[in-house]
């Protein structure tokens, strides 16, 4: 965890340097220092012009983008850890409860039927497409939770898994139906949004994601002991004094909020909620007291790296960050699984 914490800030500094316009690390430090009033500006006119241009690039484009990448990575990875603990399955991720597919259907609905005015309007820095994505994901999770909860038996994790698969299939069908009615421009908007990208980052989105991230990093670690007890089974957790139903409800609501906001501000970025918890668990073990903050740091690192590479790998164009997370994470994930199988066989 100390290594992860020490890696995050240098990687964010490197990400601030990367882009169509390269900015040296000294210039990045100078511009950020001048933004917060710690460094005085240059004296010559040419130096002032260069610093003004670099300051505009950093303050308006790169700094909010890097911060948003880190915050979205924290949300996705920590929520993925909580879902894996709740399902007692290291291959679970937040999409199992329908939040990603529901968000995709909500965004597609607004893109196809909202018209130009709805697509261009904004509310607290979020486009109405992002608002539709959040509502779609949150409604899907509430429907899954409602289907899996009964008055006598409580919330069944197995039923929740089956309901999540069914709701995801329904949302996928709705998304295909909306795509059928869409024209070429709408289809491109839908496909780009589903790939996941941080190119629409602004300070309003950073504020919204930062507020949700603060809630998650304050509340999710408080469920660590309950998640550790759930690893033994629900009956054993109840015997240890854990209110299992309350823990399930809290984790589901926090996951719906965290992943819903992450999808709303950045689109569908897959793999982070699956591979990051699994990788960190292989490295430090299953204790959620360390696993949740460790995965939060690792998720921020992965998404900051992916977004940085996305800006330069096919420059001057940009790849969607969701593609890069899969390309960067999947090979490393496969190598860890192969090493684990060899250790078990040995």
């Amino acid at each position: 965890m100390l290594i992860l914490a020490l890696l995050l800030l240098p990687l964010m500094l490197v990400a601030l340097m990367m882009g169509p316009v390269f900015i040296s690390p000294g210039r990045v430090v100078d511009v950020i220092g001048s933004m917060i009033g710690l460094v005085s500006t240059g004296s010559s006119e040419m130096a002032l012009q260069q610093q003004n241009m670099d300051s505009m690039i950093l303050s308006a484009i790169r700094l909010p983008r890097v911060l948003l990448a880190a915050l979205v990575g924290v949300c996705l990875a920590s929520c993925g850890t909580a879902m894996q603990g709740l399902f007692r399955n290291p291959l679970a991720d937040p999409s199992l409860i329908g939040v990603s597919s529901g968000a995709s259907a909500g965004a597609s609905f607004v893109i196809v039927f909202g018209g130009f005015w709805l697509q261009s309007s904004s509310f607290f820095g979020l486009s109405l497409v992002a608002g539709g994505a959040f509502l779609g994901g949150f409604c899907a999770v509430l429907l899954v939770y409602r289907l899996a909860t009964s008055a006598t038996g409580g919330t069944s994790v197995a039923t929740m898994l089956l309901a999540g698969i069914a709701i995801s299939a329904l949302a996928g069908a709705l998304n295909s139906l909306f795509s059928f009615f869409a024209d070429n421009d709408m289809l491109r908007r839908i496909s780009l949004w589903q790939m996941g990208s941080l190119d629409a980052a602004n300070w309003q989105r950073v504020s919204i994601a930062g507020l949700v991230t603060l809630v998650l990093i304050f509340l999710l670690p408080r469920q660590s002991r309950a998640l550790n007890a759930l690893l033994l089974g629900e009956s054993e957790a109840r015997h240890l004094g854990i209110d299992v139903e309350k823990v399930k409800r809290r984790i589901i609501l926090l996951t719906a909020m965290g992943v819903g906001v992450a999808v709303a501000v950045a689109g569908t970025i897959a793999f982070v909620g699956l591979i990051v918890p699994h990788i960190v668990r292989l490295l430090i073990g299953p204790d959620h007291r360390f696993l949740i903050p460790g995965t939060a740091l690792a998720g921020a690192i992965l998404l900051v790296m992916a977004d940085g590479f996305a800006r330069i790998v096919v420059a001057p164009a940009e790849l969607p960050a969701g593609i890069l997370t899969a390309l960067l994470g999947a090979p490393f994930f496969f190598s860890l699984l192969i090493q684990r199988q060899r250790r078990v066989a040995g």
Side-chain angles (χ1 to χ4, degrees):
M1 288 182 61
L2 179 61
I3 293 174
L4 290 174
L6 292 177
L7 278 176
L8 181 58
L9 286 179
L11 286 175
M12 293 178 71
L13 177 63
V14 172
L16 290 173
M17 298 160 47
M18 299 166 67
V21 177
F22 177 78
I23 302 177
S24 66
R27 176 68 70 179
V28 171
V29 174
D30 289 342
V31 170
I32 294 178
S34 65
M35 288 171 59
I36 61 178
L38 297 180
V39 177
S40 60
T41 59
S43 56
S44 67
E45 183 178 353
M46 183 176 298
L48 283 175
Q49 291 179 352
Q50 182 65 37
Q51 183 153 342
N52 287 336
M53 184 182 71
D54 294 341
S55 178
M56 183 179 299
I57 293 173
L58 287 172
S59 62
I61 301 174
R62 293 191 189 174
L63 188 56
R65 183 165 179 164
V66 170
L67 291 176
L68 187 64
L71 293 171
V72 170
V74 169
C75 289
L76 294 176
S78 57
C79 290
T81 304
M83 292 306 299
Q84 290 180 7
L86 179 64
F87 283 101
R88 301 190 296 278
N89 188 337
L91 297 179
D93 78 333
S95 64
L96 287 178
I97 58 175
V99 59
S100 298
S101 55
S104 180
S108 298
F109 175 82
V110 175
I111 290 173
V112 174
F113 298 106
F116 175 79
W117 182 82
L118 286 177
Q119 294 177 35
S120 60
S121 299
S122 62
F123 185 70
F124 288 113
L126 289 178
S127 66
L128 293 186
V129 174
F134 177 78
L135 289 178
F138 204 83
C139 290
V141 173
L142 291 181
L143 183 57
V144 168
Y145 179 75
R146 181 62 180 171
L147 291 173
T149 304
S150 63
T152 56
T155 304
S156 170
V157 173
T159 306
M160 190 187 308
L161 176 60
L162 295 174
I165 294 174
I167 295 301
S168 296
L170 175 62
L174 290 175
N175 194 42
S176 299
L177 181 64
F178 299 149
S179 299
F180 177 79
F181 289 111
D183 57 25
N184 290 334
D185 182 63
M186 292 175 181
L187 281 174
R188 180 168 178 80
R189 286 174 179 266
I190 292 173
S191 61
L192 289 176
W193 190 91
Q194 291 176 350
M195 292 177 189
S197 178
L198 295 158
D199 57 357
N202 54 39
W203 287 109
Q204 290 87 354
R205 296 191 176 206
V206 171
S207 302
I208 294 171
L211 180 61
V212 173
T213 303
L214 286 176
V215 174
L216 290 179
I217 63 177
F218 177 73
L219 294 180
L220 276 182
R222 297 167 68 92
Q223 311 302 317
S224 297
R225 295 185 183 275
L227 288 171
N228 288 341
L230 281 173
L231 293 178
L232 304 173
E234 291 189 14
S235 299
E236 290 78 2
R238 289 191 180 94
H239 289 308
L240 292 173
I242 302 297
D243 191 339
V244 175
E245 293 303 317
K246 185 180 292 186
V247 170
K248 289 179 183 178
R249 185 165 55 250
R250 287 175 180 172
I251 290 176
I252 291 170
L253 289 176
L254 288 173
T255 300
M257 178 182 66
V259 178
V261 169
V263 172
V265 299
T268 304
I269 299 180
F271 239 111
V272 176
L274 173 63
I275 62 169
V276 172
H278 200 93
I279 290 172
V280 177
R281 186 180 292 104
L282 291 176
L283 296 175
I284 69 174
D287 190 345
H288 288 86
R289 293 176 298 171
F290 309 108
L291 190 60
I292 291 176
T295 52
L297 290 170
I301 289 173
L302 175 61
L303 202 50
V304 167
M305 289 175 55
D307 182 61
F309 282 113
R311 283 182 267 136
I312 63 171
V313 67
V314 290
E318 293 185 5
L319 278 179
I323 297 176
L324 266 295
T325 56
L327 291 177
L328 291 174
F332 186 56
F333 184 60
F334 291 152
S335 67
L336 286 176
L337 290 179
I338 293 172
Q339 292 176 9
R340 184 182 183 184
Q341 289 178 348
R342 289 176 178 175
R343 287 198 300 267
V344 172

